[in-house]
Each structure stands twice: as C-alpha cells, then as structure tokens.
Amino acid sequence: MNLNDPFGRVKKQREKEYHALRTTLMDAGINDRHEAEKLLETLAKRGKFGLLIIIPLTLILAALLPQFQIVIIALGGLISAWLFKTTTRSRQHIRRYIEEELSHDGDSREF
C-alpha cells in the first residue's frame, strides 16, 4: 500500500492518461522509435520555450504592476509549475510508449 495514494486513484488516473496518449500517438501514425524520440525532443523544446516566456513575462508584469505583484507572481508560479509537470508527465508516458509498443521494432540503437 502506498501512503501517498492509499486507494490507487492517482495510479488509475495515470494509466488512463497513458492509454489516451497511446491511442492518440497510434492514430497520429507515430509507430517507429525515431518518430517518438523526435516527439520527445520537440516536447522538451516546447516546454523550455514556454517557461522562457512565462517566467520573464511574470517578472515584467510584477514590476510594472506592483499593486498586483503577489497575485501575478502566484499565477506565474502556478502556470510554470503546471507546464513543467505536464511536460514531464507527457515525456514519461512517451518513454513508456517507446518501451512497451516500439521496442519490438528492431530499430534499436545497438548494432
């Protein structure tokens, strides 16, 4: 029994997320390892780009509107945390997809 998830609700939710992403990737035609790894790289770049936009924008708005500084910083932090967590979780699901669905393809990196 996991103390952080005693009834397994989070685990079930993660499984549903993975299966939804898996179905989406299959429907999109991502069925080889190279395409999936390219998607991982693209997702990482987009996550970094998003953070590079959100963080400076939050700081600029907080400096320009000092009366709303606490709210702006809290929202910026919340959006940044959400973006980071979503990107990280999506990358984990894509890695799992590569391991479970695409490992049998024979296009491994070892020769």
Side-chain angles (χ1 to χ4, degrees), residues 92-103:
Q92 290 172 347
H93 290 323
I94 293 171
R95 282 191 199 105
R96 180 177 168 191
Y97 177 74
I98 291 171
E99 290 173 9
E100 292 180 3
E101 302 293 327
L102 305 178
S103 62

Side-chain angles (χ1 to χ4, degrees), residues 51-88:
L51 288 175
L52 288 174
I53 296 295
I54 291 168
I55 292 172
L57 183 64
T58 300
L59 295 175
I60 290 170
L61 285 174
L64 292 175
L65 303 168
Q67 64 271 25
F68 301 113
Q69 190 173 28
I70 293 174
V71 174
I72 292 170
I73 291 174
L75 285 175
L78 184 65
I79 292 169
S80 296
W82 173 81
L83 179 62
F84 176 77
K85 191 63 179 171
T86 303
T87 303
T88 303

Side-chain angles (χ1 to χ4, degrees), residues 24-58:
T24 303
L25 291 174
M26 287 180 172
D27 291 344
I30 297 178
N31 51 12
D32 78 345
R33 189 177 195 100
H34 178 69
E35 290 175 352
E37 288 175 354
K38 187 176 177 182
L39 180 62
L40 276 173
E41 292 173 10
T42 303
L43 188 60
K45 286 179 186 176
R46 286 183 182 173
K48 289 177 187 175
F49 181 74
L51 288 175
L52 288 174
I53 296 295
I54 291 168
I55 292 172
L57 183 64
T58 300

